[in-house]
Amino acid sequence: MTTADHKTETMHPVGKSVQRLDVLEKVTGAAQYTDDVPFGNSLLYGRVKRSPVAHGIIKRIDYSKAKALPGVKVIVTGDDFPNLVGLYLKDKLIFARDRVRFVGEAIAAVAATSEEIAEKAIDLIEVDIDPLPAVFDAEFGATKDAPLIHPDLANYECPNFIFPVPGTNIANHFKIRKGNAEEAFKKCTSIVEKKFRIPHVQHVPIEPHIAVAQVEPDGDVTVWAASQSPFSQRSSFAKALGVSESKIRVIAGYVGGGFGCKAGVTMENVAVALASKAGGRPVKVRLTREEEFFTNFVRQGLIINLKIGCDAEGNLLAMENTQYWDGGASTEYGVNITRAGGYNSSGPFDIPNITTNALCVYTNHPIGGAYRGFGMSELHAGIIQCMDILAEKIGMDKVAFLKRNAIQGGDFNVTGMKMHPVGLQECIDTVAKELNFGKKEPTSAPNKKRGKGIGIVWKAPSMPPNAGSSAEVRLNEDGSVTVSVGGQEIGQGTFTVMAQIAAEALGVAYEMVKIEGPVDTRYSPYEWQTVASRLTWSMGNAVRRAAEDARKNILEMVGEAWGENPSNLDIKGGYVVSLKSEESISLKNIVVYGIPRPGDQGWIGGPVLGRGTFMPSYVTNLDKETGQGARAVVHYTTGCQGIDLEIDTETGKIEVIKAVSVFDVGKAINPDLVKAQIEGGFIQGMSSAIFEEMKLVDGVMKNPSFVDYRIATTADLPKENIALFVETAQDDGPWGARGIGEHPMTPTIGVLANAIYDAIGVRVSNPPLSAEKIYLAMLEAGKIS
Amino acid sequence: MGFHQISVRVNGNDEIITVASNLTLLRMLRETLSLTGTKNGCAAGECGACTVLLNGEPVNSCMVLAVEVDGQEVITIEGLAKDGQLDIVQKTIIEKGAVQCGFCTPGMLISARALLNRNPHPTEEQVVEALVGNLCRCTGYSRIIESVQAAAERS
Amino acid sequence: MTSAHPGLPEFDYVKPSDLSEASQFLALHVSDARPFSGGTDTFVRMRDGFFNPKYLVDVKNLEGTRILKFDASEGLTIGSAIPMNQVVAFSEAAAYYPLLVDAAKSVASYQLRSRATIIGNICNASPAGDTIGACLAYDGVLNVHGLDGHKKLPLKDFFTGPGKNLLKPGDIVLSITLPVPPKGHAGQYFKLGRNRLSDLSIVGVSALGYKDPSTKSGFTFRLAIASVAPVPFIPTLAEEILSTEPLNPDTINRAAQAAMDAVTPIDDVRGSAQYRKYMVRNLVKRAVNELQHKLTA
Ligand SMILES: Cc1cc2nc3c(=O)[nH]c(=O)nc-3n(C[C@H](O)[C@H](O)[C@H](O)COP(=O)(O)OP(=O)(O)OC[C@H]3O[C@@H](n4cnc5c(N)ncnc54)[C@H](O)[C@@H]3O)c2cc1C
Ligand code: FES
Ligand code: FES
């Protein structure tokens, strides 16, 4: 089945909006997600016994009754898996041992012949827990008075760019000391000082987490998982079981939405733990929607105190930025979000004097993990609003204020890194123009108020300095191309983009390229993780190099056969052509069988294989006390967003009329996919800003279902959701490309809040920017009665 | 727990199967009949990923018991294309670039098909209403809505 | 904290062949058996562990449950097996009972309404039940079969608390009858959720109005409000103000204020009590204005 009536051939696909590779499978129901993999009757089903207590000491676990239940095959507890795991800071156990630290933490797990039996068995496990005083506020958690959640912090293994403070709940303290903020504030004519609270939210992929694990006859473990990180999961499983990486194999099919929550390891370890004792039977563990809400990685809450000042001309002079990240019960991943909060703490602004303290604080809340934006939605929520307030304070046009202070190529940014060229000015201009910024629009009804908001953001890929990519390109008899990668198709369209890159670099039509899937750590080349908006750039470089390598091999083969210098040859449309003789030969057959030498003198060439790798080599660590260094990150993607909205003063409801998002993507390899990322990202940002909040009361989530935790539906869309981009080439990106996956949702909280203020004259600054909050704020301010 | 023998027509095939009382239509399709195109996003009637046609009407298959479909007709995403030809909404959803992770897509397509069956020329608001029970976290919906409108225009 | 069941817990599906068998079975297994229609409340509550029935009794095949008819003298009768979408699509329902159709269309999603029934919505007796207000405003009467045979229960006395109603062991609601409404009436459901559509209500105002020469204002308004009290709430003082005083902005404001003062909402995940109170006032005002506009246009 195809949709195209005739076969299209797209030459030079880079920069073109070709159709997605995976789409036919996805519209017919054929695309295989992890829950769709068949395992037959030997499959066991796992369920997890979870802590009902936020903080406490486990006194007793008795699973004898569960064990006696017919159909129960395996029960595991923390005593079976004593190794600490974690992506950055190794502070997490698969199952709590002496102590529980959040409601929903795994204590034990059961594998049984049916889900029903497993569920019954879970109810039969008896656990006694003595509650301890708990921490539910990160700012309090950072004080000396707070009960200690990880008394062993001093002994945890962690990389040299994470700075825990043993004897406290602070798992990472990242500092910026640039210039002299204290002195600079004295020179400011206007200063804004404001505290923001950003609540916990969930990622809400429509596919809940799922993993299946099985021990092979040779003792190796195979894991099928809905995963953004097959390779880092492999390392983590190996660590948990105390074996080496090669003993573990992760197979990761299509992912039904990730947004960060399927990066690293959460519940997958449970499947591995159960399988390790299941005598070779596969064990499936699948989170319920409710568990997806309250046991999975969350976007951490943030309390941020901002103080920003400028001179009379509107030049930003100083910033003081204190961040309390609610890391939750374990900060294995969260410590690096805090680090990102620190080294991005200026936002995309040129500020000469900055003091930042970014603290990752243990609390008795669910565990924080990566979420689309990696801290940047939360950070910018505050910065974008403060800039708005400051511009108004000094009576300056808001767009002019942003343009005056936006970071530019050549500036030395918050960490002392020299900025590469960025197209932020153009992004701001485009948003202002599209939105007619500054012009007050009429309202649609007398009970409505209308307003506009604008804000700018930046974000760098947050990753270890040496996160690597690799790719292989193979040619087939028919001249078609198979590309192997280890990055994941999670909906963003990366397989399509990789095929475009391979086709362009090789000189064949896009339609000739297939991406090998599912990613399988036994066969696929290494990829660090599908996170950080890094694949187009990093994996794209690897694929390009692999394709160029293959191309080189082909041209050398043909050059030898034709007695020509390969530099005079080119591949065009699936043919090798000589620029000199204009002779040409199809790639078909020769890329596998080689070319016969003239006069029956044997053969040249053979199967063509290209290999490419990429790893940034230039990222340096930052000074522990000042946060300064030569190059903290690989690059920044910057952008601007603006919103025009109306508020119903009788209900407080927001109706977004128009949203405009413009980002500098370096080069859009596939413009339509870029736009799709921006459109979808904006709606996710808007949804989380207006509707979403995990209602945590004493550590218990009160709204763990779609009925109680609302996300945007078809009925909540802006009339116009405009996605645009500019292209300021990235020097080390493929054709200049840099990432765009996460950025579109990062400005939305702040921009919405600015627009709300413009509409009603009251600042509602902390999300969710719900109708209720807006209504009650208008009431309190006397705007309505 | 009771078991029941039922006969049901699924995507045009007559099936006679034994189902437990608590087996939902969703699990019957996915586990008993290996029709895994229908997705489980919540098992609670909230997300629409499990939407199938039951006697021509869309239902959340997680909210229907298998035993209740005895003698009925079910169409799943696997049965949407006919004679190797994609349904028109399958084509337009591709053309509009309205698929990302794809997990919501089968349910969306079934809801869209059901709408077009009962109302071949829906307004934009009618499309919005018909799809409001199909959650999508990736696309921001507007391309999906456009693809249903495009399908209506073309048929 | 209870964690939701991954699927449905075990139970036996029972499908009685006639009414007396059904009532007797349900009465015999009072604490173990539960009737269901669309199942959209029942299944969710079983997953959550609120219901633990041994037997689920499918009452959709019983005599009298599949009726959907309009009769110019008796009014509209809707069987308990009739899903909401069928009611919405029933032309006489749309023609004569616009408030009911409007309310039914506001419930969840189209595909859920392929299963969800109005009788289920009523028996579930949630303060948030969207179609209950309309059925109250139309003076609905339930047709019930119990151990002692058939009986009628007026809806206005039916609700006794959140999730509680007057049904006795063995009782099965067969249908609801809504008498012929006043000619030329206008009705509309004003539902405020967090999302524009499909959410449960923060506040839901069912409003029905008609020209009535017997009242001082010349109008009668029937109001019922969801999600603001333990049971669906009728603001009688507001209704009275609207019929006894000349209908002008001041009267409408005072009626709306009276409704606001009378409700006793709680804080929950959808909204605070304080916000709900203001929304009762504003939506009642909006509803009466809108209906007045329709009636006088
Ligand atoms: C995702 C989701 C969203 C929802 N959104 C809404 C919403 O927006 N607004 C709203 O009002 N509701 C909503 N609901 C609740 C539910 O769908 C409605 O209450 C629906 O009308 C119930 O009808 P049913 O036939 O499915 O009920 P069932 O589940 O079959 O029954 C509900 C209750 O009534 C009893 N009962 C059923 N039939 C009979 C009978 N004939 N005789 C005696 N007792 C009987 C059952 O024992 C049970 O206690 C939602 C539910 C879900 C799952
Ligand atoms: S799985 Fe059925 S509605 Fe979500
Ligand atoms: S495409 Fe991912 S949920 Fe819709």
Side-chain angles (χ1 to χ4, degrees):
Chain A
M1 274 183 292
T2 57
T3 48
D5 297 330
H6 54 91
K7 199 162 159 37
T8 43
E9 283 219 329
T10 314
M11 291 303 171
H12 299 294
V14 162
K16 293 188 182 146
S17 297
V18 298
Q19 181 177 302
R20 290 179 70 109
L21 271 189
D22 52 356
V23 78
L24 199 61
E25 283 171 274
K26 286 180 174 176
V27 302
T28 53
Q32 197 172 56
Y33 299 79
T34 301
D35 200 19
D36 305 337
V37 178
F39 288 96
N41 288 336
S42 66
L43 183 64
L44 299 176
Y45 298 83
R47 294 288 297 149
V48 179
K49 181 78 181 176
R50 301 187 178 281
S51 172
V53 171
H55 195 195
I57 300 294
I58 300 177
K59 285 286 166 204
R60 182 180 74 101
I61 302 176
D62 181 352
Y63 53 77
S64 51
K65 284 185 197 146
K67 190 116 209 173
L69 191 69
V72 171
K73 299 295 177 194
V74 186
I75 299 183
V76 287
T77 67
D79 288 343
D80 302 313
F81 301 94
N83 292 353
L84 285 162
V85 293
L87 191 68
Y88 292 96
L89 178 66
K90 304 226 181 314
D91 68 350
K92 193 167 86 171
L93 291 162
I94 306 180
F95 302 103
R97 293 189 73 196
D98 320 320
R99 186 191 283 249
V100 290
R101 295 182 172 90
F102 74 101
V103 174
E105 183 168 5
I107 295 176
V110 173
T113 48
S114 78
E115 228 169 22
E116 285 91 342
I117 296 172
E119 186 69 16
K120 268 191 201 151
I122 287 303
D123 285 342
L124 293 174
I125 298 177
E126 293 166 18
V127 181
D128 291 342
I129 300 171
D130 276 358
L132 291 171
V135 177
F136 300 124
D137 180 282
E139 201 170 358
F140 166 69
T143 65
K144 294 265 177 262
D145 299 333
L148 271 194
I149 298 173
H150 283 267
D152 289 336
L153 178 56
N155 305 325
Y156 296 160
E157 197 186 311
C158 82
N160 63 0
F161 51 83
I162 302 296
F163 311 116
V165 187
T168 74
N169 287 321
I170 299 168
N172 188 18
H173 184 170
F174 181 92
K175 297 178 196 166
I176 295 280
R177 301 290 181 268
K178 183 190 184 199
N180 186 337
E182 204 182 325
E183 280 302 311
F185 274 118
K186 294 178 187 159
K187 299 191 191 104
C188 293
T189 50
S190 284
I191 293 174
V192 56
E193 224 177 325
K194 201 159 162 63
K195 179 173 195 158
F196 299 87
R197 282 176 182 273
I198 316 298
H200 288 79
V201 296
Q202 256 308 356
H203 308 71
V204 200
I206 307 302
E207 175 199 45
H209 277 68
I210 175 153
V212 185
Q214 181 172 25
V215 177
E216 307 290 346
D218 60 2
D220 287 8
V221 180
T222 304
V223 184
W224 293 258
S227 172
Q228 295 177 239
S229 318
F231 287 90
S232 53
Q233 287 192 338
R234 179 175 71 170
S235 300
S236 178
F237 299 147
K239 178 104 190 161
L241 296 179
V243 300
S244 80
E245 274 87 351
S246 63
K247 301 293 288 174
I248 311 276
R249 174 182 180 191
V250 180
I251 302 174
Y254 284 126
V255 178
F259 314 111
C261 68
K262 291 168 185 161
V265 174
T266 50
M267 50 69 76
E268 298 81 4
N269 262 327
V270 174
V272 174
L274 285 168
S276 72
K277 311 224 181 281
R281 292 180 74 166
V283 182
K284 179 184 276 195
V285 181
R286 185 184 194 290
L287 295 189
T288 62
R289 176 54 59 184
E290 291 77 6
E291 289 174 309
E292 185 71 27
F293 272 114
F294 75 91
T295 73
N296 174 31
F297 275 150
V298 298
R299 187 172 88 185
Q300 308 173 122
L302 170 66
I303 298 169
I304 177 168
N305 293 310
L306 286 171
K307 181 176 173 189
I308 307 174
C310 66
D311 65 18
E313 283 75 52
N315 299 304
L316 291 171
L317 298 184
M319 170 187 259
E320 221 176 78
N321 186 330
T322 309
Q323 306 164 14
Y324 298 93
W325 295 89
D326 188 329
S330 151
T331 61
E332 53 134 339
Y333 212 143
V335 288
N336 202 40
I337 302 171
T338 299
R339 185 168 177 269
Y343 67 65
N344 290 307
S345 55
S346 61
F349 293 95
D350 180 24
I351 309 176
N353 303 286
I354 303 178
T355 298
T356 298
N357 290 292
L359 303 165
C360 185
V361 185
Y362 284 121
T363 66
N364 297 108
H365 279 149
I367 297 171
Y371 182 4
R372 195 174 195 174
F374 211 69
M376 293 304 100
S377 296
E378 305 92 294
L379 171 74
H380 287 106
I383 294 178
I384 286 174
Q385 293 188 62
C386 284
M387 295 304 171
D388 205 61
I389 296 169
L390 210 47
E392 182 170 293
K393 246 185 163 172
I394 61 163
M396 192 166 167
D397 173 74
K398 287 173 181 175
V399 171
F401 184 81
L402 293 181
K403 289 189 71 175
R404 168 168 294 222
N405 291 294
I407 195 106
Q408 311 232 31
D411 288 347
F412 287 91
N413 73 15
V414 50
T415 56
M417 165 179 163
K418 188 172 174 199
M419 277 303 282
H420 52 81
V422 288
L424 191 49
Q425 298 285 334
E426 197 184 336
C427 294
I428 300 171
D429 284 335
T430 312
V431 169
K433 184 162 156 277
E434 282 285 328
L435 212 57
N436 234 326
F437 202 84
K439 178 168 179 279
K440 199 83 184 164
E441 312 281 349
T443 58
S444 67
N447 62 324
K448 305 264 175 91
K449 298 265 185 215
R450 191 156 174 182
K452 293 176 185 173
I454 192 168
I456 58 176
V457 290
W458 71 350
K459 182 187 181 296
S462 300
M463 54 188 203
N466 57 341
S469 294
S470 52
E472 280 166 11
V473 166
R474 303 195 293 279
L475 280 95
N476 306 307
E477 292 90 332
D478 57 1
S480 69
V481 182
T482 306
V483 178
S484 299
V485 290
Q488 267 291 61
E489 179 52 68
I490 62 174
Q492 80 284 48
T494 200
F495 281 5
T496 304
V497 167
M498 293 308 132
Q500 287 178 265
I501 288 176
E504 180 83 38
L506 205 51
V508 301
Y510 163 70
E511 290 76 11
M512 294 298 280
V513 184
K514 285 203 163 59
I515 305 293
E516 188 176 74
V519 171
D520 180 336
T521 58
R522 181 172 287 175
Y523 307 113
S524 304
Y526 177 85
E527 184 64 52
W528 177 61
Q529 296 196 99
T530 299
V531 298
S533 309
R534 59 182 280 281
L535 287 193
T536 300
W537 163 77
S538 182
M539 190 162 87
N541 275 329
V543 169
R544 181 181 188 168
R545 287 175 184 179
E548 283 169 353
D549 186 35
R551 178 187 158 89
K552 181 167 145 271
N553 294 340
I554 295 168
L555 296 185
E556 278 171 2
M557 164 174 71
V558 177
E560 193 181 337
W562 290 354
E564 280 206 57
N565 189 331
S567 65
N568 289 328
L569 302 175
D570 195 3
I571 303 179
K572 282 185 178 165
Y575 285 81
V576 180
V577 292
S578 163
L579 303 177
K580 262 193 179 156
S581 67
E582 293 189 4
E583 203 176 337
S584 79
I585 181 169
S586 167
L587 289 181
K588 274 184 200 163
N589 297 327
I590 66 167
V591 289
V592 171
Y593 304 122
I595 302 176
R597 285 184 202 277
D600 202 10
Q601 294 295 304
W603 291 76
I604 305 167
V608 174
L609 201 60
R611 296 180 309 170
T613 65
F614 178 77
M615 187 178 93
S617 54
Y618 43 70
V619 175
T620 58
N621 270 348
L622 299 173
D623 181 81
K624 185 181 174 192
E625 292 309 320
T626 65
Q628 302 296 295
R631 187 156 178 188
V633 299
V634 291
H635 58 252
Y636 284 90
T637 298
T638 58
C640 180
Q641 197 165 76
I643 288 173
D644 176 7
L645 56 68
E646 230 172 30
I647 288 173
D648 182 336
T649 56
E650 290 169 4
T651 59
K653 281 216 144 194
I654 297 179
E655 199 179 309
V656 177
I657 293 168
K658 185 171 181 176
V660 183
S661 312
V662 187
F663 287 87
D664 182 359
V665 300
K667 166 76 188 176
I669 305 284
N670 185 319
D672 200 52
L673 285 180
V674 168
K675 288 185 174 182
Q677 282 306 294
I678 297 178
E679 286 167 23
F682 173 76
I683 298 300
Q684 190 171 12
M686 186 197 79
S687 177
S688 62
I690 297 179
F691 300 121
E692 299 179 34
E693 173 181 25
M694 293 175 68
K695 297 211 185 263
L696 290 161
V697 179
D698 294 339
V700 178
M701 184 180 181
K702 296 293 184 189
N703 55 340
S705 72
F706 281 130
V707 166
D708 290 333
Y709 184 107
R710 300 300 294 176
I711 66 170
T713 71
T714 49
D716 304 304
L717 310 180
K719 289 200 185 73
E720 285 182 275
N721 179 4
I722 295 182
L724 298 166
F725 53 83
V726 304
E727 300 183 315
T728 310
Q730 182 62 38
D731 61 358
D732 67 349
W735 290 273
R738 61 174 88 81
I740 183 60
E742 300 164 279
H743 310 77
M745 78 176 280
T746 59
T748 312
I749 300 170
V751 175
L752 267 171
N754 288 350
I756 292 168
Y757 173 75
D758 189 47
I760 63 173
V762 186
R763 206 158 259 291
V764 182
S765 32
N766 295 325
L769 307 169
S770 63
E772 161 158 358
K773 228 183 244 174
I774 293 170
Y775 186 86
L776 296 178
M778 288 189 292
L779 197 68
E780 197 184 340
K783 301 276 174 185
I784 53 172
S785 58
Chain B
M1 190 175 54
F3 289 84
H4 314 265
Q5 201 187 61
I6 63 167
S7 75
V8 53
R9 174 170 283 206
V10 181
N11 298 334
N13 300 315
D14 289 318
E15 311 274 358
I16 296 182
I17 45 184
T18 302
V19 299
S21 285
N22 72 340
L23 192 75
T24 58
L25 174 57
L26 171 62
R27 286 184 60 194
M28 179 192 101
L29 293 169
R30 291 183 51 83
E31 294 167 25
T32 315
L33 299 178
S34 301
L35 292 168
T36 53
T38 304
K39 301 300 179 206
N40 176 356
C42 70
E46 299 162 354
C47 73
C50 67
T51 307
V52 300
L53 295 180
L54 177 58
N55 302 325
E57 280 291 293
V59 294
N60 304 94
S61 62
C62 66
M63 288 275 107
V64 176
L65 301 179
V67 50
E68 290 184 273
V69 303
D70 187 18
Q72 324 273 312
E73 170 155 22
V74 177
I75 305 277
T76 70
I77 185 66
E78 289 91 344
L80 206 55
K82 296 228 168 55
D83 310 323
Q85 270 296 311
L86 292 181
D87 188 287
I88 183 97
V89 273
Q90 287 175 309
K91 288 185 191 172
T92 53
I93 208 170
I94 291 177
E95 288 164 14
K96 295 282 175 190
V99 176
Q100 289 190 24
C101 82
F103 205 75
C104 70
T105 309
M108 283 288 181
L109 286 166
I110 294 286
S111 283
R113 174 40 53 216
L115 169 68
L116 294 173
N117 287 348
R118 64 179 184 268
N119 179 0
H121 297 288
T123 62
E124 184 180 336
E125 181 62 10
Q126 286 169 333
V127 177
V128 164
E129 284 175 11
L131 300 182
V132 77
N134 292 85
L135 299 178
C136 173
R137 191 58 151 174
C138 304
T139 64
Y141 300 108
S142 48
R143 289 163 182 254
I144 297 174
I145 295 168
E146 283 166 29
S147 41
V148 180
Q149 291 175 298
E153 271 164 36
R154 223 180 291 169
S155 49
Chain C
M1 154 172 223
T2 53
S3 169
H5 197 280
L8 286 175
E10 292 180 0
F11 61 86
D12 262 333
Y13 171 84
V14 180
K15 194 170 176 181
S17 47
D18 64 48
L19 281 170
S20 62
E21 183 193 331
S23 287
Q24 271 162 24
F25 188 91
L26 285 166
L28 188 67
H29 302 278
V30 207
S31 46
D32 282 346
R34 176 167 283 280
F36 81 102
S37 295
T40 60
D41 275 314
T42 308
F43 299 160
V44 168
R45 296 190 150 220
M46 287 167 67
R47 279 192 73 235
D48 289 348
F50 285 111
F51 290 174
N52 277 306
K54 237 199 201 135
Y55 306 102
L56 265 195
V57 182
D58 190 343
V59 293
K60 290 193 287 293
N61 254 10
L62 298 173
E63 199 190 327
T65 61
R66 294 188 168 265
I67 185 170
L68 177 62
K69 81 161 202 233
F70 177 73
D71 177 305
S73 59
E74 275 177 24
L76 178 68
T77 301
I78 304 167
S80 63
I82 304 296
M84 291 186 184
N85 282 340
Q86 270 188 44
V87 179
V88 171
F90 187 54
S91 59
E92 277 116 329
Y96 302 113
Y97 300 84
L99 169 58
L100 177 68
V101 167
D102 203 27
K105 275 162 79 175
S106 82
V107 172
S109 61
Y110 185 89
Q111 56 266 58
L112 200 85
R113 300 192 298 270
S114 297
R115 299 285 295 170
T117 65
I118 288 175
I119 299 298
N121 201 229
I122 291 170
C123 293
N124 192 50
S126 155
D130 282 312
T131 65
I132 297 174
C135 293
L136 281 167
Y138 285 120
D139 293 321
V141 177
L142 298 175
N143 305 304
V144 179
H145 185 274
L147 279 180
D148 305 326
H150 290 273
K151 59 184 170 186
K152 290 190 186 300
L153 293 178
L155 200 59
K156 68 175 171 27
D157 312 316
F158 184 69
F159 304 101
T160 54
K164 296 209 180 89
N165 60 41
L166 280 184
L167 292 180
K168 300 214 158 49
D171 279 357
I172 298 159
V173 179
L174 305 180
S175 60
I176 184 167
T177 299
L178 308 176
V180 182
K183 258 216 161 65
H185 82 285
Q188 200 175 328
Y189 186 50
F190 295 81
K191 176 171 172 177
L192 180 73
R194 288 159 297 182
N195 304 77
R196 184 165 69 83
L197 300 175
S198 82
D199 191 12
L200 291 172
S201 67
I202 299 170
V203 167
V205 176
S206 298
L208 180 158
Y210 53 96
K211 287 190 176 155
D212 186 349
S214 74
T215 65
K216 269 201 194 139
S217 70
F219 293 93
T220 289
F221 286 94
R222 306 285 308 276
L223 302 168
I225 312 179
S227 299
V228 293
V231 297
F233 182 80
I234 298 178
T236 40
L237 182 57
E239 289 180 345
E240 195 183 310
I241 294 172
L242 291 169
S243 61
T244 54
E245 296 176 32
L247 207 56
N248 58 34
D250 179 55
T251 306
I252 295 173
N253 279 341
R254 277 187 301 113
Q257 187 66 44
M260 171 171 169
D261 293 342
V263 297
T264 53
I266 54 165
D267 294 334
D268 68 14
V269 293
R270 299 199 296 284
S272 69
Q274 187 195 12
Y275 180 59
R276 283 195 156 103
K277 280 191 145 247
Y278 283 105
M279 289 307 103
V280 166
R281 184 191 67 184
N282 295 358
L283 292 186
V284 165
K285 197 163 122 184
R286 194 176 274 188
V288 175
N289 279 328
E290 191 81 23
L291 292 196
Q292 189 195 7
H293 179 74
K294 279 189 187 168
L295 290 170
T296 51

